[in-house]
Amino acid sequence: MSDNQLIKYQKKSISIVGMGWLGLPLGKFLANRPYLVKGSTTTTSKLKDISEAGVKGYLLTLPGLEHSKDFFDSDILVISMPPSVNQYDQVIDSLLGAIVTHQVPWVIFVSSTSVYPNIGGSVSEEDAVDIASPHSGVQLLQIENLFRDNRKFDTTIIRFAGLYGPSREPGRFMAGKKDVRGADIPVNLIHQEDCIGIISQVIEKEIKGQTFNACAPEHPNRKDFYTKACRGLGLEPPQFNSETAPFKIIDSSKLIKKLPYEFIHKNPLLDL
C-alpha cells in the first residue's frame, strides 16, 4: 500500500471535552464511524461509561491540562462543556493553553443561544451581544471570541437552543407552576439527536471558521408545548396567565442552507 493510501485510511482523531448529556452519546456516535474518539471526564467513575461507549477515556482535572499530551494529540477538539461547571473561566483558559501547546488544528465549541437578547422577533448569528447567560451567568460571547480570534487554530461555533431528549424531558421543568407569563411566546428547542447530527456533519464536511444557530425550525407556543409535555409525563400542566413575556425566535436558516442540514425533529411539539 502506498503512503497516500495509508493516509487515506488513517482514522481521524477527535477529542471531546465533557462527556455528559451531549458529549457521551456524541462520542458513541462518532466512535461507530471512521474516527478514533477520546473523551475527558473529571470523575473516575465516569471512565467506565466512556469505555463502554467505545471511546478512550481520560481523567482530566485542573491544573495540568497542558500536560495531557495524548488527549490533545487530535485532529479535532470538541468542547461540549456546560458553562455551569466549576471554575468554568479557568478551565477555558487552561484549554486554550493546551490547544496552542499541542497544536490542535481545529476546535468545535458548543455554545448557546443565550447570547441573544429578547428582541421580540427573529435573531440570526450576527445579533449576538455580550450579555450574561440567565442560567449560568457566563458571558458566552466573550468565551466564543477567545476561540474565534485565536489564529493558531480554526474554530467552529455551534449555538444550541434549549436541549431536550433522553432523560431531559421539558415537561419536568414547568410541571405544576402557577401564574406563568408568556403563554403565546415561541419555544426554541433542539433534540439531542439533531445536536449529534449537526456536529457530525460539521466534522464530515469540514465546515471551519463558521458560527451557526442550531434550533428546531418550528416554534410552538409555550402553553401548547408545556401543557402537552406535562400531560405526556402524567404531571400537572403549568397554569398560564394573560401576561406576555420577552422572547426571541432562533433562526437556523444559515445552518440549514450551508451544511446543508435537514432536521430530524423539526417540530418539538410532535415529539411529545
Side-chain angles (χ1 to χ4, degrees), residues 174 178-186 221-223 239-247:
M174 295 286 284
K178 309 294 184 183
D179 203 31
V180 179
R181 298 188 302 156
D184 295 327
I185 68 172
N221 72 51
R222 261 182 121 199
K223 182 176 182 179
Q239 299 297 313
F240 289 88
N241 59 34
S242 59
E243 293 182 43
T244 187
F247 72 94

Side-chain angles (χ1 to χ4, degrees), residues 9-16 30 33-39 56 58 69-78 103-108 203:
Y9 287 102
Q10 281 180 344
K11 283 189 175 184
K12 186 170 288 186
S13 57
I14 302 171
S15 292
I16 303 173
L30 294 174
R33 272 113 187 117
Y35 302 115
L36 172 64
V37 185
K38 309 171 188 179
K56 186 176 181 181
Y58 291 79
K69 183 178 185 302
D70 189 46
F71 177 75
F72 289 100
D73 183 17
S74 287
D75 300 298
I76 305 166
L77 181 73
V78 179
Q103 300 180 340
V104 179
W106 182 18
V107 173
I108 298 175
I203 291 170

